[in-house]
Amino acid sequence: MAEAPLLDVRDLEVQFKTQDGIVQAVNKVNFSVNRGETLGIVGESGSGKSVTSLAVMRLIPSPPGKIAGGQIIFDGEDLVDFSESEMRKIRGNRIAMIFQDPMTSLNPVLRIGRQMTEALQLHLNMTPKQARNRAIELLGMVGIPSPDKRLDDYPHQFSGGMRQRVMIAMGLSCNPELLIADEPTTALDVTIQAQILELMNRLKNETGTAVIFITHDLGVVAGMADRVIVMYAGRVVEHASTHELYNNPRMPYTMGLLDSIPRLDEGKGERLTPIRGLPPDLLNLKDACPFAPRCDFVQDVCHTQRPPLRSVGTNHQAACLFDITYEERQTAAARKAAEEQAALEQTLETAIAEEAR
């Protein structure tokens, strides 16, 4: 009998009430995370990634937001039904979160040691001395030199990469069963980013903690995740193992994300292919494919029918009405780019001719 997943999100809906109407930020989202597994969640800004993670932590600001439907089953219990006092026993203890910007997540007027020992004393009932020793151990674990001395420093005395290491140490301090990392490398340069990713991989393997890794960059998640879900307009539009997703993407949006990543096997001077257009307005979503205005394969039916998340292979689902291959998408995108370039050149020629007159 298969073991039940550690986290099972079912038909999750999150809404925000605004002056202009109701924003459906997360719409019928389903996914699960097994013990010791890393799940990647990718998508553009506004796709619903961070809101989904905040919903799991029950940190949706209310008002204006609310969990409008669905279940968040964690270790057999629905967190949606938990009171705030019950959730405080879960947060930081069994489920921890690393936020995007460590500078705004750390209290600037409290020493790092005070911020790290608080959760240890609260959740693990450690004495102040035990908590301090554990904090020193954690800082050393994440590669901060002289951890016994740095524990008495303030956040502004750390670099961006070191602050992120502190956040990782705080997240792992109570040995959580699930760690949610919400774009933990966004504000870091490429070298520090690689160090942070390597550190998280190593610590995950050492502790056995399950991880939800949220990012807008498919290149980052490639070496981190066992499975990946792609989100767009508050919905899951593709779900597969990491290997399957990168080798056989089936949703045009996923293909667009892959094409926007620099590749080592591309020739010098090769241009990246961006996804044209803008993400949809979540206030005015129609009963249609939300990606249709930006898709190179759009047909009339795409404007009148919303594609369901359907099986397109073994443990592979995609929300597209058509069976499109990555090669077909690349050909169509290249043709579209050539047409746009030709139109631009024609416009320039016309402008020069008019100027010459």
Side-chain angles (χ1 to χ4, degrees), residues 270-299:
E270 290 288 335
R271 297 181 64 179
L272 299 178
T273 307
I275 302 175
R276 59 191 175 88
L278 297 172
D281 181 0
L282 298 183
L283 280 167
N284 299 299
L285 279 181
K286 300 177 182 178
D287 192 18
C289 176
F291 189 62
R294 310 173 70 188
C295 184
D296 293 320
F297 294 93
V298 63
Q299 297 188 31

CSV table of all heavy atoms in Angstrom, one decimal, residues 270-299:
chain,number,residue,atom,x,y,z
A,270,GLU,N,23.0,33.3,-30.5
A,270,GLU,CA,21.6,32.9,-30.6
A,270,GLU,C,20.7,33.7,-29.7
A,270,GLU,O,21.0,34.0,-28.6
A,270,GLU,CB,21.4,31.4,-30.2
A,270,GLU,CG,22.1,30.4,-31.2
A,270,GLU,CD,21.2,30.3,-32.5
A,270,GLU,OE1,20.0,30.6,-32.4
A,270,GLU,OE2,21.8,30.0,-33.5
A,271,ARG,N,19.5,34.2,-30.3
A,271,ARG,CA,18.6,35.0,-29.5
A,271,ARG,C,17.7,34.2,-28.7
A,271,ARG,O,17.2,33.1,-29.1
A,271,ARG,CB,17.9,35.9,-30.4
A,271,ARG,CG,18.7,36.9,-31.2
A,271,ARG,CD,17.9,37.8,-32.1
A,271,ARG,NE,17.0,38.7,-31.3
A,271,ARG,CZ,16.2,39.6,-31.8
A,271,ARG,NH1,16.2,39.7,-33.1
A,271,ARG,NH2,15.4,40.3,-31.1
A,272,LEU,N,17.3,34.7,-27.5
A,272,LEU,CA,16.3,34.0,-26.7
A,272,LEU,C,15.0,34.4,-27.3
A,272,LEU,O,14.8,35.4,-27.9
A,272,LEU,CB,16.4,34.5,-25.2
A,272,LEU,CG,17.7,34.2,-24.5
A,272,LEU,CD1,17.7,34.7,-23.1
A,272,LEU,CD2,18.0,32.7,-24.5
A,273,THR,N,14.0,33.5,-27.1
A,273,THR,CA,12.7,33.7,-27.6
A,273,THR,C,11.7,34.0,-26.4
A,273,THR,O,11.4,33.1,-25.6
A,273,THR,CB,12.1,32.4,-28.3
A,273,THR,OG1,13.1,32.0,-29.3
A,273,THR,CG2,10.8,32.7,-28.9
A,274,PRO,N,11.4,35.2,-26.2
A,274,PRO,CA,10.5,35.6,-25.1
A,274,PRO,C,9.1,35.2,-25.3
A,274,PRO,O,8.7,35.0,-26.5
A,274,PRO,CB,10.6,37.1,-25.0
A,274,PRO,CG,10.9,37.5,-26.4
A,274,PRO,CD,11.8,36.4,-27.0
A,275,ILE,N,8.3,35.1,-24.3
A,275,ILE,CA,6.8,34.9,-24.4
A,275,ILE,C,6.2,36.3,-24.7
A,275,ILE,O,6.3,37.2,-23.8
A,275,ILE,CB,6.2,34.3,-23.1
A,275,ILE,CG1,6.9,33.0,-22.8
A,275,ILE,CG2,4.7,34.1,-23.3
A,275,ILE,CD1,6.5,32.3,-21.5
A,276,ARG,N,5.6,36.4,-25.8
A,276,ARG,CA,5.0,37.7,-26.1
A,276,ARG,C,3.8,38.0,-25.3
A,276,ARG,O,3.2,37.1,-24.7
A,276,ARG,CB,4.7,37.8,-27.6
A,276,ARG,CG,3.7,36.7,-28.1
A,276,ARG,CD,3.6,36.7,-29.6
A,276,ARG,NE,2.7,35.6,-30.0
A,276,ARG,CZ,1.4,35.7,-30.2
A,276,ARG,NH1,0.8,36.9,-29.9
A,276,ARG,NH2,0.6,34.7,-30.6
A,277,GLY,N,3.5,39.3,-25.2
A,277,GLY,CA,2.3,39.7,-24.5
A,277,GLY,C,2.5,39.8,-23.0
A,277,GLY,O,3.6,39.7,-22.5
A,278,LEU,N,1.4,39.9,-22.3
A,278,LEU,CA,1.4,40.1,-20.8
A,278,LEU,C,0.5,39.0,-20.2
A,278,LEU,O,-0.4,38.5,-20.8
A,278,LEU,CB,0.9,41.5,-20.4
A,278,LEU,CG,1.7,42.7,-20.9
A,278,LEU,CD1,1.0,44.0,-20.7
A,278,LEU,CD2,3.1,42.7,-20.3
A,279,PRO,N,0.8,38.7,-18.9
A,279,PRO,CA,-0.1,37.8,-18.2
A,279,PRO,C,-1.5,38.3,-18.1
A,279,PRO,O,-1.8,39.6,-18.2
A,279,PRO,CB,0.5,37.8,-16.8
A,279,PRO,CG,1.9,38.1,-17.0
A,279,PRO,CD,1.9,39.1,-18.1
A,280,PRO,N,-2.5,37.5,-18.0
A,280,PRO,CA,-4.0,37.9,-18.0
A,280,PRO,C,-4.4,38.7,-16.8
A,280,PRO,O,-3.7,38.6,-15.7
A,280,PRO,CB,-4.7,36.6,-18.1
A,280,PRO,CG,-3.8,35.6,-17.4
A,280,PRO,CD,-2.4,36.0,-17.8
A,281,ASP,N,-5.4,39.5,-16.9
A,281,ASP,CA,-6.0,40.2,-15.8
A,281,ASP,C,-6.9,39.2,-15.0
A,281,ASP,O,-7.9,38.8,-15.6
A,281,ASP,CB,-6.8,41.4,-16.4
A,281,ASP,CG,-7.5,42.2,-15.3
A,281,ASP,OD1,-7.3,41.9,-14.1
A,281,ASP,OD2,-8.2,43.2,-15.6
A,282,LEU,N,-6.5,38.9,-13.8
A,282,LEU,CA,-7.3,38.0,-13.0
A,282,LEU,C,-8.6,38.5,-12.6
A,282,LEU,O,-9.5,37.7,-12.1
A,282,LEU,CB,-6.5,37.6,-11.8
A,282,LEU,CG,-5.1,36.9,-12.0
A,282,LEU,CD1,-4.4,36.5,-10.7
A,282,LEU,CD2,-5.3,35.7,-12.9
A,283,LEU,N,-8.9,39.7,-12.8
A,283,LEU,CA,-10.3,40.3,-12.5
A,283,LEU,C,-11.2,39.9,-13.6
A,283,LEU,O,-12.5,39.9,-13.4
A,283,LEU,CB,-10.2,41.8,-12.3
A,283,LEU,CG,-9.7,42.3,-11.0
A,283,LEU,CD1,-9.4,43.8,-11.1
A,283,LEU,CD2,-10.8,42.0,-9.9
A,284,ASN,N,-10.7,39.7,-14.8
A,284,ASN,CA,-11.6,39.5,-16.0
A,284,ASN,C,-11.3,38.2,-16.7
A,284,ASN,O,-11.2,38.2,-18.0
A,284,ASN,CB,-11.5,40.7,-16.9
A,284,ASN,CG,-11.9,42.0,-16.3
A,284,ASN,OD1,-13.0,42.1,-15.8
A,284,ASN,ND2,-11.0,43.0,-16.2
A,285,LEU,N,-11.1,37.1,-16.0
A,285,LEU,CA,-10.8,35.9,-16.7
A,285,LEU,C,-12.1,35.3,-17.3
A,285,LEU,O,-13.1,35.2,-16.6
A,285,LEU,CB,-10.2,34.9,-15.7
A,285,LEU,CG,-8.7,35.0,-15.3
A,285,LEU,CD1,-8.3,33.9,-14.3
A,285,LEU,CD2,-7.9,34.9,-16.6
A,286,LYS,N,-12.0,35.0,-18.6
A,286,LYS,CA,-13.1,34.4,-19.2
A,286,LYS,C,-13.1,32.9,-19.2
A,286,LYS,O,-12.0,32.3,-18.8
A,286,LYS,CB,-13.2,34.9,-20.7
A,286,LYS,CG,-13.3,36.4,-20.8
A,286,LYS,CD,-13.2,36.9,-22.2
A,286,LYS,CE,-13.3,38.4,-22.3
A,286,LYS,NZ,-13.2,38.8,-23.8
A,287,ASP,N,-14.2,32.2,-19.6
A,287,ASP,CA,-14.2,30.8,-19.7
A,287,ASP,C,-13.5,30.3,-20.9
A,287,ASP,O,-14.1,29.9,-21.9
A,287,ASP,CB,-15.6,30.3,-19.6
A,287,ASP,CG,-15.7,28.8,-19.4
A,287,ASP,OD1,-14.7,28.2,-18.9
A,287,ASP,OD2,-16.7,28.1,-19.6
A,288,ALA,N,-12.2,30.5,-20.9
A,288,ALA,CA,-11.4,30.2,-22.1
A,288,ALA,C,-10.0,29.9,-21.6
A,288,ALA,O,-9.7,30.0,-20.4
A,288,ALA,CB,-11.4,31.4,-23.1
A,289,CYS,N,-9.1,29.5,-22.6
A,289,CYS,CA,-7.7,29.3,-22.2
A,289,CYS,C,-7.1,30.6,-21.9
A,289,CYS,O,-7.0,31.5,-22.7
A,289,CYS,CB,-7.0,28.6,-23.3
A,289,CYS,SG,-5.2,28.3,-23.0
A,290,PRO,N,-6.6,30.8,-20.6
A,290,PRO,CA,-6.0,32.1,-20.3
A,290,PRO,C,-4.7,32.4,-21.0
A,290,PRO,O,-4.3,33.6,-21.1
A,290,PRO,CB,-5.7,32.0,-18.8
A,290,PRO,CG,-5.6,30.5,-18.5
A,290,PRO,CD,-6.5,29.8,-19.5
A,291,PHE,N,-4.1,31.4,-21.6
A,291,PHE,CA,-2.8,31.6,-22.3
A,291,PHE,C,-3.1,31.9,-23.8
A,291,PHE,O,-2.1,32.3,-24.6
A,291,PHE,CB,-1.9,30.4,-22.2
A,291,PHE,CG,-0.5,30.6,-22.7
A,291,PHE,CD1,0.3,31.6,-22.2
A,291,PHE,CD2,0.0,29.9,-23.8
A,291,PHE,CE1,1.6,31.8,-22.7
A,291,PHE,CE2,1.3,30.1,-24.3
A,291,PHE,CZ,2.1,31.0,-23.7
A,292,ALA,N,-4.3,31.8,-24.3
A,292,ALA,CA,-4.6,31.9,-25.7
A,292,ALA,C,-4.1,33.2,-26.3
A,292,ALA,O,-3.5,33.2,-27.4
A,292,ALA,CB,-6.1,31.8,-25.9
A,293,PRO,N,-4.2,34.4,-25.7
A,293,PRO,CA,-3.7,35.6,-26.4
A,293,PRO,C,-2.2,35.7,-26.6
A,293,PRO,O,-1.7,36.5,-27.4
A,293,PRO,CB,-4.1,36.7,-25.4
A,293,PRO,CG,-5.2,36.2,-24.6
A,293,PRO,CD,-4.9,34.7,-24.4
A,294,ARG,N,-1.5,34.8,-26.0
A,294,ARG,CA,0.0,34.8,-26.1
A,294,ARG,C,0.5,33.5,-26.8
A,294,ARG,O,1.7,33.4,-26.9
A,294,ARG,CB,0.6,34.9,-24.7
A,294,ARG,CG,0.0,36.0,-23.8
A,294,ARG,CD,0.6,35.9,-22.4
A,294,ARG,NE,2.0,36.3,-22.3
A,294,ARG,CZ,2.7,36.2,-21.2
A,294,ARG,NH1,2.1,35.7,-20.1
A,294,ARG,NH2,3.9,36.5,-21.2
A,295,CYS,N,-0.4,32.6,-27.2
A,295,CYS,CA,0.0,31.3,-27.7
A,295,CYS,C,0.2,31.4,-29.2
A,295,CYS,O,-0.5,32.0,-30.0
A,295,CYS,CB,-1.0,30.3,-27.3
A,295,CYS,SG,-0.6,28.6,-27.8
A,296,ASP,N,1.3,30.7,-29.7
A,296,ASP,CA,1.6,30.6,-31.1
A,296,ASP,C,0.7,29.6,-31.8
A,296,ASP,O,0.7,29.5,-33.0
A,296,ASP,CB,3.1,30.2,-31.3
A,296,ASP,CG,4.0,31.3,-30.9
A,296,ASP,OD1,3.7,32.5,-31.1
A,296,ASP,OD2,5.0,31.0,-30.2
A,297,PHE,N,-0.1,28.8,-31.0
A,297,PHE,CA,-0.9,27.7,-31.6
A,297,PHE,C,-2.4,28.0,-31.4
A,297,PHE,O,-3.2,27.1,-31.5
A,297,PHE,CB,-0.5,26.3,-31.0
A,297,PHE,CG,0.9,25.9,-31.4
A,297,PHE,CD1,1.9,26.2,-30.6
A,297,PHE,CD2,1.1,25.2,-32.6
A,297,PHE,CE1,3.2,25.7,-30.9
A,297,PHE,CE2,2.4,24.8,-32.9
A,297,PHE,CZ,3.4,25.0,-32.1
A,298,VAL,N,-2.7,29.2,-31.1
A,298,VAL,CA,-4.1,29.5,-30.7
A,298,VAL,C,-5.0,29.2,-31.9
A,298,VAL,O,-4.7,29.5,-33.0
A,298,VAL,CB,-4.2,30.9,-30.2
A,298,VAL,CG1,-3.8,31.9,-31.3
A,298,VAL,CG2,-5.6,31.2,-29.7
A,299,GLN,N,-6.2,28.6,-31.6
A,299,GLN,CA,-7.3,28.4,-32.5
A,299,GLN,C,-8.6,29.0,-31.9
A,299,GLN,O,-8.6,29.3,-30.8
A,299,GLN,CB,-7.4,27.0,-32.9
A,299,GLN,CG,-6.1,26.4,-33.6
A,299,GLN,CD,-6.3,25.0,-34.1
A,299,GLN,OE1,-7.4,24.6,-34.5
A,299,GLN,NE2,-5.2,24.2,-34.1
